[in-house]
Amino acid sequence: MHHLSIHNPATGALITQVPADDDASVAAKAAQARAAQPRWAAVPLAERKACISRFRAAIVAELESLAATMTRETGKPIKMSRNELNGLLGRLDFFLNETDASIATQTVFQDGGMIEQIEHIPLGVVANISAWNYPWFVGCNVIVPALLTGNAVLYKPSEYAALTGLAIARLLHGAGVPQEVFVPLIGGGAVGAALMEQQIDGLFFTGSYATGARIAQAMGTRMVKLQLELGGKDPTYVCDDADPKTAAESLADGAMYNTGQSCCSVERIYVHEKIHDAFVAAFVDTVKTFRAGDPASEDTYIGAITRAPQLEVLDAQVADAKAKGARLLLGGERLPGPGNWYAPTVFSNVDHTMTLMQEESFGPIIGIQKVSSDEEAVKLMNDTRYGLTAGVYTPDASRAQALLAQVNAGSVYWNCCDRVSPRLPWSGYGDSGVGLTLSTYGIQTFTRPKAWHLRSV
C-alpha cells in the first residue's frame, strides 16, 4: 500500500503517514461514486440539507482540534485556523438557506397551451482537486453546494492538507453523507492525474496557473465542465486623499495575513506621491508588529511557509528586486531554524520590470510603488496577466467607483481588501481562471439547466 508522509512545515518534523491512493483505488472509488450518485440525487433536498446541518454542528463541536490539525500540517497560525473554521459556518448557512430557491424549477413562459420551464439537475460526479492554503473554505466552496445539489464528489485535498481533508470526510460521513457519495482521494500529483482519467461530469480545481493550464490541456477534448480557480497579483491603489495610516494598517494585514498565502492577498500597492512617504512609514511600522513564531502560539501572526519550494520563489523575487534598484525596507531573507520560514518583507521604489510586481509571490512580501495620478495607477493595476481582486482607498465614493470600474478584476474593494463573501461570486479575469464559486451562481454551477417545452393537447 502507498503512504503519504505529512510533515509540519514549521519544524520539518514528520507528523504521520496516511494510506494513499493509486490508479487502481482511484478507478474503483470513481466507479462506486458513479453508481451511488443517482440514489443521492433522489434523496429529498431537505434530507441532504439535514446532513450538511449535522456536518456544521460537528465542526462547531470539534473546532479546537480541527484548528490544531490545520495549524500542524499547514503552518497557519492557530488564531487564523480558528478564524477560517468560524468563517466557514456563515458560508454553510448561506448554502443551506439559498439552495432551495437557487435550484427550484422555474416557469419562464406560459401562454395558451405552451409552458416553458428550466430545471436544474445535478452534473453527476464532480471531481474536486483542492488547495492547502484555506482547505476548509476552498474545499467546502465546492463540496457543500455539490452535495446539496445532488452530485457525488471525488475530493482530492492537497497533499499539504490531507489530514484536514480526511477530517472533512469523517465529519460528512458521520453526518449521513454516504461514503460512496463523498470520496476523499489521498496523494500528490499522480492521484490528481488518475482522477482526471475517470468518467466525471465536472472538474473543479483550485491552485496555480501552471497546474491549471496543464489540467485544461489534459481535459480539453473531454467536454467535461471545467472550472479553474487560479492565482492573482492583486493590486491596491491608495489615493492622495486617503488617510495614510489607516490605509497602511489595513493593507499590511491584507498583504501579510495567512503569511501572504492567500489567493486574494494584496500583492502590489500603488500610492499617490502626495502621501507616499507617510504611507510607507506607517506600513513598515505596522509590519514590524507582526510576530513570527510557533504557529500554535496565540500571539503568532506570521506562520510557516507551507511548501518549502516557495522559499526559492521568494528568494528569487527579492534578489531580482534588489538588482533592479528596489529599496529593501524590511526583511528580505529566510528566518533561521528548522522548517520553512520567511521574514515579512517590504520594498519601495519598485517598478514593473521586477518579478515582484508581475508574478504571484504567495508569501509575506510586498512592493510599494509611487504614482503621480489616478490614470497611472489604473494603467499599472491592469498591467498583469491576472485579474482576481483589486482595491482603492479613498474617502470619495464616486472616485473609487470610477477607478474600480476601469480595473479588470473579478472582485473589487473600496477601503477594504483580502475579503470574501458567500453572497458574492468568486471569479477572475485572464490567468486568474474560469468559472466561479460562491453566491447563488456558485450553487447553480454544480447543475446543468434542462429546458422543458410543454404543450398540452
Side-chain angles (χ1 to χ4, degrees):
M1 177 180 282
H2 296 266
H3 284 82
L4 176 69
S5 297
I6 298 170
H7 293 84
N8 184 332
T11 64
L14 178 69
I15 299 172
T16 188
Q17 291 184 313
V18 295
D21 284 281
D22 57 19
D23 290 3
S25 67
V26 170
K29 290 176 179 180
Q32 291 171 349
R34 173 66 57 190
Q37 187 271 326
R39 294 193 298 275
W40 178 247
V43 170
L45 176 56
E47 292 184 30
R48 300 198 298 264
K49 287 170 60 180
C51 290
I52 300 303
S53 293
R54 289 189 291 269
F55 172 64
R56 184 194 190 282
I59 292 170
V60 172
E62 295 190 26
L63 194 140
E64 278 303 315
S65 65
L66 296 172
T69 294
M70 182 163 40
T71 286
R72 269 197 310 277
E73 68 179 342
T74 69
K76 184 193 296 278
I78 188 65
K79 280 189 174 179
M80 297 180 190
S81 291
R82 284 196 205 102
N83 288 348
E84 180 175 347
L85 286 158
N86 282 313
L88 175 66
L89 303 179
R91 295 195 188 188
L92 298 182
D93 291 340
F94 174 82
F95 291 134
L96 287 167
N97 292 335
E98 297 295 332
T99 296
D100 288 89
S102 297
I103 63 171
T105 297
Q106 301 166 267
T107 298
V108 294
F109 179 79
Q110 189 168 0
D111 186 36
M114 177 59 74
I115 298 174
E116 297 172 359
Q117 292 183 328
I118 302 170
E119 181 189 15
H120 295 276
I121 62 173
L123 290 175
V125 177
V126 166
N128 179 26
I129 301 175
S130 198
W132 51 262
N133 59 329
Y134 286 95
W136 284 91
F137 275 162
V138 174
C140 289
N141 288 352
V142 172
I143 294 163
V144 171
L147 290 173
L148 286 173
T149 52
N151 298 279
V153 179
L154 298 167
Y155 168 64
K156 194 197 93 62
S158 167
E159 58 268 43
Y160 296 97
L163 295 178
T164 291
L166 289 169
I168 290 172
R170 175 176 60 81
L171 296 185
L172 281 170
H173 296 155
V177 177
Q179 293 195 9
E180 300 81 15
V181 168
F182 180 76
V183 185
L185 301 171
I186 301 301
V191 173
L195 175 54
M196 288 192 289
E197 294 294 319
Q198 308 310 311
Q199 183 191 351
I200 56 177
D201 302 295
L203 177 60
F204 294 74
F205 168 77
T206 302
S208 70
Y209 164 79
T211 303
R214 288 198 299 272
I215 289 173
Q217 191 169 29
M219 298 297 293
T221 61
R222 294 278 298 279
M223 306 309 157
V224 166
K225 182 164 191 175
L226 182 61
Q227 187 162 298
L228 305 170
E229 183 181 317
L230 309 178
K233 192 65 186 172
D234 304 330
T236 297
Y237 170 42
V238 184
C239 298
D240 56 345
D241 56 358
D243 177 74
K245 185 172 186 292
T246 303
E249 290 172 351
S250 174
L251 287 167
D253 184 59
M256 302 291 172
Y257 190 88
N258 205 42
T259 319
Q261 298 174 122
S262 305
C263 301
C264 54
S265 286
V266 176
E267 291 232 351
R268 298 179 283 148
I269 301 175
Y270 305 98
V271 185
H272 196 282
E273 60 189 7
K274 287 183 180 177
I275 63 165
H276 173 270
D277 292 355
F279 174 89
V280 169
F283 191 95
V284 169
D285 285 346
T286 302
V287 174
K288 282 179 178 176
T289 69
F290 294 161
R291 182 182 178 278
D294 179 1
S297 174
E298 294 291 338
D299 61 351
T300 292
Y301 180 91
I302 298 291
I305 299 295
T306 305
R307 296 176 59 257
Q310 196 64 22
L311 295 170
E312 297 175 13
V313 173
L314 298 172
D315 280 341
Q317 290 193 354
V318 166
D320 176 71
K322 284 180 175 178
K324 292 174 179 171
R327 183 179 172 211
L328 178 64
L329 303 175
L330 209 61
E333 61 188 1
R334 303 186 191 199
L335 293 173
N340 313 324
W341 295 91
Y342 212 88
T345 298
V346 182
F347 279 100
S348 64
N349 197 39
V350 295
D351 61 49
H352 278 218
T353 67
M354 302 170 188
T355 56
L356 173 64
M357 301 298 281
Q358 289 288 305
E359 299 299 329
E360 191 171 29
S361 300
F362 229 65
I365 178 172
I366 191 73
I368 303 171
Q369 184 168 349
K370 184 188 296 185
V371 296
S372 59
S373 67
D374 290 1
E375 293 73 22
E376 183 185 6
V378 169
K379 183 179 179 182
L380 290 168
M381 292 168 86
N382 283 333
D383 179 26
T384 178
R385 300 185 292 123
Y386 298 102
L388 193 59
T389 79
V392 166
Y393 282 70
T394 171
D396 186 336
S398 59
R399 182 179 184 182
Q401 288 183 311
L403 289 167
L404 292 171
Q406 300 173 62
V407 177
N408 301 324
S411 294
V412 293
Y413 304 118
W414 175 38
N415 293 337
C416 58
C417 59
D418 191 25
R419 183 180 188 276
V420 181
S421 166
R423 296 169 292 278
L424 294 171
W426 188 250
S427 64
Y429 283 56
D431 288 356
S432 288
V434 292
L436 57 89
T437 53
L438 299 175
S439 78
T440 55
Y441 299 114
I443 298 172
Q444 293 178 345
T445 196
F446 298 98
T447 67
R448 62 180 94 244
K450 187 167 186 172
W452 289 79
H453 303 252
L454 307 171
R455 186 189 292 281
S456 58
V457 293

